[in-house]
Amino acid sequence: MSLTSARETSRAIDNGAVRWSRGLAWVALADVAVVLVFVSTGRSSHDEGLAIGSILATAAPFLLALAGGWGVLTGLRVKSALGSSWAGSWTRMRAPWPEGVALWLVTAALGLTLRNLVFGKGTAASFVVVAFVVLGVGLVGWRAALGAARRRAQG
């Protein structure tokens, strides 16, 4: 392999890694935004403060659960993609099925568990239902809407 060819290969790998990390960051930010909107809306509807610290304290169990789900799913994707392309990892993370559904279930179930057992906050039955519905609509919904828009744009 010539020096020029090695440089081109290195540049292509670097560009792919940059695209992968940027794409993954946007998808992760969208998921974090869903959790923060869920928490902010809930706090607002119960006349609780909307200070950033209060929002983050309420969101903490759900953000930790989301991070755990992301860790597991991207870890599995990167491991399975090592022989092929990293790009498949982040593009799959924006898929409603199975990634979006898995993140929704992990974020809601683990987030509610952490909220109750670790953070000492209540998990009334009505809150459990609301959390599952709102997080499901948010985490799966933006992925489904993006997929529909992409299909429409492709004709």
Side-chain angles (χ1 to χ4, degrees):
M1 177 185 282
S2 72
L3 185 57
T4 304
S5 151
R7 284 185 187 145
E8 289 172 0
T9 301
S10 175
R11 192 173 304 123
I13 290 170
D14 289 345
N15 287 341
V18 167
R19 272 194 310 276
W20 178 77
S21 62
R22 282 186 189 153
L24 204 57
W26 282 112
V27 175
L29 283 173
D31 286 343
V32 168
V34 167
V35 171
L36 293 176
V37 167
F38 159 64
V39 167
S40 298
T41 304
R43 290 186 62 83
S44 177
S45 70
H46 291 286
D47 295 323
E48 296 178 3
L50 293 178
I52 291 178
S54 299
I55 291 170
L56 291 176
T58 304
F62 298 99
L63 292 173
L64 290 170
L66 178 66
W70 263 86
V72 169
L73 289 173
T74 57
L76 292 174
R77 283 283 168 204
V78 169
K79 181 179 177 187
S80 68
L82 285 177
S84 57
S85 167
W86 280 4
S89 179
W90 78 267
T91 57
R92 289 300 308 161
M93 286 305 294
R94 67 178 188 218
W97 174 258
E99 285 79 359
V101 171
L103 279 173
W104 160 46
L105 295 174
V106 167
T107 302
L110 183 57
L112 288 164
T113 302
L114 289 171
R115 176 181 164 89
N116 191 1
L117 298 179
V118 176
F119 289 82
K121 301 292 182 178
T123 50
S126 59
F127 179 67
V128 171
V129 171
V130 168
F132 269 94
V133 170
V134 172
L135 289 171
V137 168
L139 293 172
V140 178
W142 79 257
R143 288 171 165 84
L146 178 65
R150 297 184 117 220
R151 284 189 297 281
R152 184 173 295 156
Q154 292 173 350

